[in-house]
Amino acid sequence: MKLWGGRFQKETDKQVDDFNSSIRFDARMYREDITGSMAHAKMLGQQHIIDPAEAELIVKTLGEILEDIEAGNVEFLVDAEDIHMNVEKLLTDRIGAAGKRLHTGRSRNDQVALDIRMYLMAQEKEIASLLKALLGVLTELAKKHLHTIMPGYTHLQKAQPITFAHHLMAYAQMFMRDADRIADCHKRTAVMPLGSGALAGTTYPLDREFVREQLGFSKITDNSLDGVSDRDFALELAADLSILMVHLSRFCEELILWSSHEFSFVEMDDAYSTGSSIMPQKKNPDVAELIRGKSGRVFGSLMGLLTMMKGLPLAYNKDMQEDKEQIFDAVDTVLLCLPVFTNMLSTMKIHEDVMYKGAGGGFTNATDAADYLVKKGLPFREAHEILGKLVYYCIGKGCALDALTLDEYKQFSPVFEEDIYRAISLEACVAERSLPGGPAEEAVLASITRCEQFIKNFSL
Ligand code: ARG
């Protein structure tokens, strides 16, 4: 018979049991379910809501059940529906009457909210620490490439020279924001819902603060209806993870592009590439492609969660059982992608010479040549026009700006002098951009230092 079978005259249809049951995906919350129940039982004993000796027996037996599950000695039952009732059934099978007192002053509605919050709190910590490891690799790599000049792009057309360090640190900014967002979401995840009951709280004198403290939450929920029906923390996490995946996906797209024969800026380590079953020469950046591809799963989870929650009346509805597969898949995907991405990055070969050569073509120093004229007193629009004509002239000649003679320069403006060549060297183009946030060495170094401080101070 079901734990709730009292008012029923018939067994549940087998098909309905399978359909209704969530054990195949919520079993992974067994640890949270058991530690949550231990704290609840301890509190019930302390408050003399149940006999303290029975509370002690419950806590002890739950500990044994936990060990048995971890040792692989427990088989969960589909007809016990979910992890909450599976654990309760294991408990009552072992200690009978005492076990039946555990659910006093509690509902599965506040219990499941507790479990999923606890589970996600741990996952958020894990993701934050993986982000820190990735930031560590980015800063180390950036320090090595402060002088590695490469072309910067807009519209995927060569724009202005930057350094590889500057490019890497752009991603570091994104990943720091991701970590911050997850930390912010963590604040709203770490709110303890037990005591909300099914929806309207409970008449027992529960000590909610004691349970909160035992389980490492920072506050208790403030409204019992909201306590059982809030899934904002899961929506928020899915949104944060979606943004994180956008960042990984953009980075992967660049690495894929840069690994192509046409770019050849980087080469993935053999250990992070795969071959082709037909083309012997192939070395494919599959890891980067898969991460780019997996971003879709995470966005899908966010959309699934939003759609599932939209329009639900207060308070708990069974629809909400669907939250788990979505958020678990989003978390699993990110946990899978982050470490492999970090290692791929740290083992990748960088072709500095090709990057440098790439920075030279495509008139990436044309803005600097215009700025040169401005510094000599010309209005910027006029300088822009002169440079436009110069570039057109160079295209006709098939040469770069620095290949022109001073006489040729002077045909376009008498203001040009010998110092134009230094002003438009790639090194000068980068070094002159030393404002905070720019690609010059001192600016990037300052940015690296701030990122290192972030890594040191950030904790969840
Ligand atoms: N397995 C359920 C879920 O994941 C637990 C809560 C069920 N509550 C209920 N009243 N049926 O949402």
Side-chain angles (χ1 to χ4, degrees):
M1 192 173 91
K2 292 280 194 296
L3 287 177
W4 39 253
R7 63 99 66 219
F8 287 79
Q9 302 298 314
K10 263 192 189 174
E11 287 296 310
T12 321
D13 185 279
K14 174 79 183 63
Q15 202 180 27
V16 173
D17 257 345
D18 287 339
F19 182 69
N20 203 35
S21 165
S22 53
I23 188 64
R24 71 171 196 286
F25 51 82
D26 65 17
R28 66 157 85 190
M29 302 194 301
Y30 70 87
R31 200 176 303 112
E32 289 74 19
D33 194 73
I34 290 175
T35 29
S37 286
M38 284 169 143
H40 181 67
K42 213 160 147 193
M43 180 276 294
L44 290 176
Q46 272 177 26
Q47 297 295 97
H48 293 276
I49 298 168
I50 66 172
D51 178 355
E54 281 190 321
E56 218 173 284
L57 178 63
I58 293 174
V59 172
K60 181 174 147 282
T61 313
L62 283 171
E64 291 160 8
I65 292 172
L66 180 59
E67 277 173 24
D68 288 349
I69 296 173
E70 307 224 284
N73 296 332
V74 172
E75 208 183 306
F76 294 121
L77 305 173
V78 167
D79 60 357
E81 216 176 301
D82 53 28
I83 186 62
H84 326 295
M85 291 201 296
N86 265 279
V87 169
E88 198 178 325
K89 184 176 178 329
L90 286 163
L91 183 70
T92 46
D93 284 352
R94 293 185 188 195
I95 58 173
K100 293 186 183 169
R101 297 192 196 280
L102 168 64
H103 211 50
T104 313
R106 189 176 69 171
S107 157
R108 268 188 301 152
N109 298 351
D110 56 358
Q111 188 180 359
V112 71
L114 179 88
D115 291 4
I116 190 156
R117 282 173 183 270
M118 284 172 69
Y119 184 85
L120 293 181
M121 279 156 71
Q123 306 300 306
E124 286 159 2
K125 285 190 178 176
E126 182 65 25
I127 293 168
S129 84
L130 291 172
L131 278 172
K132 273 169 65 162
L134 170 54
L135 286 168
V137 165
L138 282 174
T139 50
E140 284 314 306
L141 210 52
K143 278 195 244 174
K144 283 190 209 140
H145 291 283
L146 286 163
H147 303 287
T148 305
I149 293 179
M150 67 178 281
Y153 295 83
T154 65
H155 313 267
L156 202 54
Q157 305 285 324
K158 280 184 198 176
Q160 288 172 342
I162 53 168
T163 65
F164 187 47
H166 192 52
H167 200 105
L168 291 170
M169 290 311 289
Y171 282 103
Q173 301 301 315
M174 301 177 220
F175 295 125
M176 282 190 278
R177 290 197 295 272
D178 288 327
D180 269 339
R181 259 187 291 273
I182 287 164
D184 206 52
C185 173
H186 191 74
K187 285 193 256 169
R188 283 174 291 278
T189 314
V191 188
M192 206 292 293
L194 277 196
S196 301
L199 77 161
T202 178
T203 55
Y204 299 98
L206 305 185
D207 185 349
R208 299 190 64 201
E209 278 297 334
F210 172 82
V211 176
R212 174 195 71 70
E213 220 227 290
Q214 284 277 301
L215 298 175
F217 282 84
S218 43
K219 348 187 237 190
I220 58 172
T221 53
D222 200 33
N223 179 294
S224 62
L225 293 169
D226 186 52
V228 291
S229 62
D230 168 28
R231 292 293 183 274
D232 288 2
F233 55 90
L235 298 177
E236 230 179 303
L237 183 59
D240 296 349
L241 298 182
S242 294
I243 299 174
L244 195 169
M245 287 305 291
V246 169
H247 299 153
L248 282 181
S249 182
R250 291 182 75 180
F251 207 158
C252 284
E253 166 65 16
E254 294 201 312
L255 296 178
I256 293 162
L257 214 55
W258 293 350
S259 319
S260 68
H261 182 73
E262 287 75 6
F263 271 85
S264 298
F265 285 0
V266 299
E267 187 182 336
M268 298 306 156
D269 193 80
D270 276 1
Y272 286 84
S273 317
T274 47
S276 156
S277 58
I278 170 168
M279 297 167 281
Q281 84 283 12
K282 289 280 266 178
K283 179 169 167 183
N284 296 326
D286 285 31
V287 173
E289 291 170 68
L290 256 183
I291 294 173
R292 185 178 61 183
K294 280 179 188 290
S295 59
R297 307 172 69 107
V298 181
F299 309 160
S301 297
L302 171 62
M303 217 33 75
L305 282 168
L306 286 168
T307 313
M308 181 273 287
M309 286 304 288
K310 171 201 154 300
L312 288 188
L314 296 184
Y316 178 84
N317 300 270
K318 187 75 171 201
D319 314 44
M320 290 160 76
Q321 177 165 289
E322 291 285 310
D323 62 354
K324 283 166 225 52
E325 282 168 295
Q326 303 277 5
I327 193 66
F328 291 164
D329 190 70
V331 166
D332 290 350
T333 303
V334 168
L335 289 177
L336 203 62
C337 291
L338 273 176
V340 72
F341 180 80
T342 302
N343 294 337
M344 177 176 71
L345 205 62
S346 66
T347 53
M348 168 178 94
K349 203 185 295 154
I350 291 124
H351 296 142
E352 303 167 26
D353 50 331
V354 185
M355 284 186 173
Y356 188 84
K357 235 174 118 200
F363 305 102
T364 55
N365 49 4
T367 315
D368 294 79
D371 289 341
Y372 167 90
L373 293 176
V374 170
K375 282 169 196 155
K376 302 255 169 176
L378 258 62
F380 182 74
R381 270 296 148 239
E382 229 170 88
H384 188 287
E385 163 103 32
I386 293 169
L387 256 299
K389 290 190 170 132
L390 263 164
V391 166
Y392 187 73
Y393 175 76
C394 285
I395 293 170
K397 259 192 95 174
C399 73
L401 279 172
D402 27 349
L404 299 179
T405 65
L406 190 54
D407 279 347
E408 286 176 299
Y409 271 116
K410 282 195 180 288
Q411 285 167 29
F412 290 83
S413 166
V415 176
F416 282 113
E417 296 298 342
E418 194 59 41
D419 56 353
I420 178 64
Y421 298 104
R422 207 208 74 82
I424 61 167
S425 74
L426 294 179
E427 286 74 10
C429 293
V430 170
E432 292 298 311
R433 292 179 159 72
S434 57
L435 283 181
E441 177 180 1
E442 60 266 42
V444 176
L445 258 179
S447 164
I448 293 174
T449 307
R450 282 189 292 274
C451 185
E452 285 174 337
Q453 282 301 322
F454 179 93
I455 300 171
K456 208 169 118 215
N457 299 330
F458 185 88
S459 76
L460 253 199

